[in-house]
PDB file of all heavy atoms in Angstrom:
ATOM      1  N   PHE X 570     -19.276  10.583 -38.984  1.00  0.00           N
ATOM      2  CA  PHE X 570     -19.470  11.706 -39.893  1.00  0.00           C
ATOM      3  C   PHE X 570     -20.113  12.867 -39.141  1.00  0.00           C
ATOM      4  O   PHE X 570     -20.837  12.681 -38.160  1.00  0.00           O
ATOM      5  CB  PHE X 570     -20.349  11.282 -41.077  1.00  0.00           C
ATOM      6  CG  PHE X 570     -19.773  10.131 -41.865  1.00  0.00           C
ATOM      7  CD1 PHE X 570     -20.146   8.825 -41.580  1.00  0.00           C
ATOM      8  CD2 PHE X 570     -18.849  10.357 -42.867  1.00  0.00           C
ATOM      9  CE1 PHE X 570     -19.618   7.760 -42.289  1.00  0.00           C
ATOM     10  CE2 PHE X 570     -18.310   9.290 -43.582  1.00  0.00           C
ATOM     11  CZ  PHE X 570     -18.692   7.988 -43.296  1.00  0.00           C
ATOM     12  N   ILE X 571     -19.832  14.076 -39.626  1.00  0.00           N
ATOM     13  CA  ILE X 571     -20.346  15.284 -38.981  1.00  0.00           C
ATOM     14  C   ILE X 571     -21.871  15.315 -39.082  1.00  0.00           C
ATOM     15  O   ILE X 571     -22.452  15.027 -40.134  1.00  0.00           O
ATOM     16  CB  ILE X 571     -19.742  16.538 -39.632  1.00  0.00           C
ATOM     17  CG1 ILE X 571     -18.219  16.551 -39.412  1.00  0.00           C
ATOM     18  CG2 ILE X 571     -20.368  17.812 -39.053  1.00  0.00           C
ATOM     19  CD1 ILE X 571     -17.527  17.706 -40.095  1.00  0.00           C
ATOM     20  N   TYR X 572     -22.496  15.653 -37.994  1.00  0.00           N
ATOM     21  CA  TYR X 572     -23.959  15.711 -37.959  1.00  0.00           C
ATOM     22  C   TYR X 572     -24.458  16.978 -38.641  1.00  0.00           C
ATOM     23  O   TYR X 572     -23.977  18.079 -38.380  1.00  0.00           O
ATOM     24  CB  TYR X 572     -24.445  15.674 -36.505  1.00  0.00           C
ATOM     25  CG  TYR X 572     -25.911  16.004 -36.359  1.00  0.00           C
ATOM     26  CD1 TYR X 572     -26.888  15.084 -36.750  1.00  0.00           C
ATOM     27  CD2 TYR X 572     -26.310  17.236 -35.851  1.00  0.00           C
ATOM     28  CE1 TYR X 572     -28.240  15.387 -36.629  1.00  0.00           C
ATOM     29  CE2 TYR X 572     -27.657  17.546 -35.718  1.00  0.00           C
ATOM     30  CZ  TYR X 572     -28.614  16.620 -36.111  1.00  0.00           C
ATOM     31  OH  TYR X 572     -29.948  16.930 -35.996  1.00  0.00           O
ATOM     32  N   ARG X 573     -25.419  16.771 -39.568  1.00  0.00           N
ATOM     33  CA  ARG X 573     -26.118  17.874 -40.216  1.00  0.00           C
ATOM     34  C   ARG X 573     -27.616  17.649 -40.028  1.00  0.00           C
ATOM     35  O   ARG X 573     -28.128  16.564 -40.326  1.00  0.00           O
ATOM     36  CB  ARG X 573     -25.802  17.921 -41.708  1.00  0.00           C
ATOM     37  CG  ARG X 573     -24.327  18.023 -42.052  1.00  0.00           C
ATOM     38  CD  ARG X 573     -23.737  19.363 -41.646  1.00  0.00           C
ATOM     39  NE  ARG X 573     -22.338  19.466 -42.095  1.00  0.00           N
ATOM     40  CZ  ARG X 573     -21.505  20.421 -41.705  1.00  0.00           C
ATOM     41  NH1 ARG X 573     -21.940  21.341 -40.841  1.00  0.00           N
ATOM     42  NH2 ARG X 573     -20.262  20.454 -42.145  1.00  0.00           N
ATOM     43  N   PRO X 574     -28.340  18.636 -39.522  1.00  0.00           N
ATOM     44  CA  PRO X 574     -29.764  18.427 -39.221  1.00  0.00           C
ATOM     45  C   PRO X 574     -30.599  17.993 -40.417  1.00  0.00           C
ATOM     46  O   PRO X 574     -31.602  17.303 -40.265  1.00  0.00           O
ATOM     47  CB  PRO X 574     -30.211  19.800 -38.703  1.00  0.00           C
ATOM     48  CG  PRO X 574     -28.962  20.463 -38.229  1.00  0.00           C
ATOM     49  CD  PRO X 574     -27.876  19.984 -39.136  1.00  0.00           C
ATOM     50  N   ASN X 575     -30.207  18.379 -41.636  1.00  0.00           N
ATOM     51  CA  ASN X 575     -31.025  18.088 -42.805  1.00  0.00           C
ATOM     52  C   ASN X 575     -30.670  16.763 -43.472  1.00  0.00           C
ATOM     53  O   ASN X 575     -31.266  16.401 -44.488  1.00  0.00           O
ATOM     54  CB  ASN X 575     -30.907  19.225 -43.826  1.00  0.00           C
ATOM     55  CG  ASN X 575     -29.458  19.465 -44.244  1.00  0.00           C
ATOM     56  OD1 ASN X 575     -28.546  19.082 -43.531  1.00  0.00           O
ATOM     57  ND2 ASN X 575     -29.266  20.113 -45.384  1.00  0.00           N
ATOM     58  N   ARG X 576     -29.712  16.023 -42.940  1.00  0.00           N
ATOM     59  CA  ARG X 576     -29.316  14.761 -43.545  1.00  0.00           C
ATOM     60  C   ARG X 576     -30.199  13.620 -43.048  1.00  0.00           C
ATOM     61  O   ARG X 576     -30.641  13.608 -41.902  1.00  0.00           O
ATOM     62  CB  ARG X 576     -27.849  14.452 -43.252  1.00  0.00           C
ATOM     63  CG  ARG X 576     -26.866  15.303 -44.042  1.00  0.00           C
ATOM     64  CD  ARG X 576     -25.439  14.983 -43.663  1.00  0.00           C
ATOM     65  NE  ARG X 576     -24.483  15.776 -44.456  1.00  0.00           N
ATOM     66  CZ  ARG X 576     -23.183  15.834 -44.216  1.00  0.00           C
ATOM     67  NH1 ARG X 576     -22.661  15.136 -43.208  1.00  0.00           N
ATOM     68  NH2 ARG X 576     -22.405  16.575 -44.984  1.00  0.00           N
ATOM     69  N   THR X 577     -30.374  12.622 -43.942  1.00  0.00           N
ATOM     70  CA  THR X 577     -31.154  11.436 -43.609  1.00  0.00           C
ATOM     71  C   THR X 577     -30.237  10.223 -43.526  1.00  0.00           C
ATOM     72  O   THR X 577     -29.020  10.324 -43.730  1.00  0.00           O
ATOM     73  CB  THR X 577     -32.232  11.192 -44.669  1.00  0.00           C
ATOM     74  OG1 THR X 577     -31.589  10.937 -45.935  1.00  0.00           O
ATOM     75  CG2 THR X 577     -33.166  12.390 -44.799  1.00  0.00           C
ATOM     76  N   VAL X 578     -30.859   9.054 -43.258  1.00  0.00           N
ATOM     77  CA  VAL X 578     -30.082   7.816 -43.185  1.00  0.00           C
ATOM     78  C   VAL X 578     -29.375   7.546 -44.500  1.00  0.00           C
ATOM     79  O   VAL X 578     -28.190   7.178 -44.544  1.00  0.00           O
ATOM     80  CB  VAL X 578     -31.002   6.641 -42.795  1.00  0.00           C
ATOM     81  CG1 VAL X 578     -30.254   5.320 -42.897  1.00  0.00           C
ATOM     82  CG2 VAL X 578     -31.552   6.827 -41.397  1.00  0.00           C
ATOM     83  N   SER X 579     -30.079   7.725 -45.610  1.00  0.00           N
ATOM     84  CA  SER X 579     -29.479   7.456 -46.924  1.00  0.00           C
ATOM     85  C   SER X 579     -28.285   8.360 -47.182  1.00  0.00           C
ATOM     86  O   SER X 579     -27.288   7.930 -47.784  1.00  0.00           O
ATOM     87  CB  SER X 579     -30.536   7.656 -48.016  1.00  0.00           C
ATOM     88  OG  SER X 579     -31.604   6.740 -47.858  1.00  0.00           O
ATOM     89  N   ASP X 580     -28.356   9.605 -46.739  1.00  0.00           N
ATOM     90  CA  ASP X 580     -27.231  10.518 -46.936  1.00  0.00           C
ATOM     91  C   ASP X 580     -25.981  10.015 -46.218  1.00  0.00           C
ATOM     92  O   ASP X 580     -24.866  10.059 -46.776  1.00  0.00           O
ATOM     93  CB  ASP X 580     -27.601  11.910 -46.427  1.00  0.00           C
ATOM     94  CG  ASP X 580     -28.736  12.534 -47.227  1.00  0.00           C
ATOM     95  OD1 ASP X 580     -28.845  12.216 -48.421  1.00  0.00           O
ATOM     96  OD2 ASP X 580     -29.509  13.312 -46.636  1.00  0.00           O
ATOM     97  N   TYR X 581     -26.130   9.547 -44.993  1.00  0.00           N
ATOM     98  CA  TYR X 581     -24.965   9.072 -44.242  1.00  0.00           C
ATOM     99  C   TYR X 581     -24.435   7.752 -44.808  1.00  0.00           C
ATOM    100  O   TYR X 581     -23.227   7.515 -44.813  1.00  0.00           O
ATOM    101  CB  TYR X 581     -25.317   8.915 -42.766  1.00  0.00           C
ATOM    102  CG  TYR X 581     -25.406  10.240 -42.035  1.00  0.00           C
ATOM    103  CD1 TYR X 581     -26.640  10.776 -41.679  1.00  0.00           C
ATOM    104  CD2 TYR X 581     -24.262  10.963 -41.724  1.00  0.00           C
ATOM    105  CE1 TYR X 581     -26.732  11.984 -41.019  1.00  0.00           C
ATOM    106  CE2 TYR X 581     -24.347  12.181 -41.063  1.00  0.00           C
ATOM    107  CZ  TYR X 581     -25.580  12.687 -40.717  1.00  0.00           C
ATOM    108  OH  TYR X 581     -25.664  13.896 -40.072  1.00  0.00           O
ATOM    109  N   VAL X 582     -25.341   6.893 -45.309  1.00  0.00           N
ATOM    110  CA  VAL X 582     -24.879   5.641 -45.923  1.00  0.00           C
ATOM    111  C   VAL X 582     -24.075   5.942 -47.181  1.00  0.00           C
ATOM    112  O   VAL X 582     -23.063   5.294 -47.461  1.00  0.00           O
ATOM    113  CB  VAL X 582     -26.074   4.721 -46.226  1.00  0.00           C
ATOM    114  CG1 VAL X 582     -25.624   3.494 -47.023  1.00  0.00           C
ATOM    115  CG2 VAL X 582     -26.749   4.293 -44.942  1.00  0.00           C
ATOM    116  N   LYS X 583     -24.500   6.960 -47.943  1.00  0.00           N
ATOM    117  CA  LYS X 583     -23.738   7.349 -49.122  1.00  0.00           C
ATOM    118  C   LYS X 583     -22.366   7.887 -48.736  1.00  0.00           C
ATOM    119  O   LYS X 583     -21.370   7.636 -49.419  1.00  0.00           O
ATOM    120  CB  LYS X 583     -24.521   8.395 -49.905  1.00  0.00           C
ATOM    121  CG  LYS X 583     -25.771   7.855 -50.595  1.00  0.00           C
ATOM    122  CD  LYS X 583     -26.509   8.967 -51.319  1.00  0.00           C
ATOM    123  CE  LYS X 583     -27.788   8.425 -51.961  1.00  0.00           C
ATOM    124  NZ  LYS X 583     -28.560   9.501 -52.662  1.00  0.00           N
ATOM    125  N   LEU X 584     -22.304   8.655 -47.651  1.00  0.00           N
ATOM    126  CA  LEU X 584     -21.001   9.158 -47.195  1.00  0.00           C
ATOM    127  C   LEU X 584     -20.054   8.023 -46.812  1.00  0.00           C
ATOM    128  O   LEU X 584     -18.831   8.159 -46.916  1.00  0.00           O
ATOM    129  CB  LEU X 584     -21.200  10.093 -45.995  1.00  0.00           C
ATOM    130  CG  LEU X 584     -21.856  11.452 -46.275  1.00  0.00           C
ATOM    131  CD1 LEU X 584     -22.108  12.201 -44.971  1.00  0.00           C
ATOM    132  CD2 LEU X 584     -20.980  12.286 -47.204  1.00  0.00           C
ATOM    133  N   ALA X 585     -20.626   6.889 -46.358  1.00  0.00           N
ATOM    134  CA  ALA X 585     -19.815   5.724 -45.984  1.00  0.00           C
ATOM    135  C   ALA X 585     -19.484   4.842 -47.183  1.00  0.00           C
ATOM    136  O   ALA X 585     -18.970   3.733 -47.004  1.00  0.00           O
ATOM    137  CB  ALA X 585     -20.535   4.914 -44.921  1.00  0.00           C
TER     138      ALA X 585
END
Side-chain angles (χ1 to χ4, degrees):
F570 301 94
I571 297 176
Y572 169 73
R573 304 292 185 191
N575 57 339
R576 286 178 178 171
T577 63
V578 172
S579 297
D580 295 330
Y581 285 106
V582 173
K583 290 179 182 179
L584 290 174

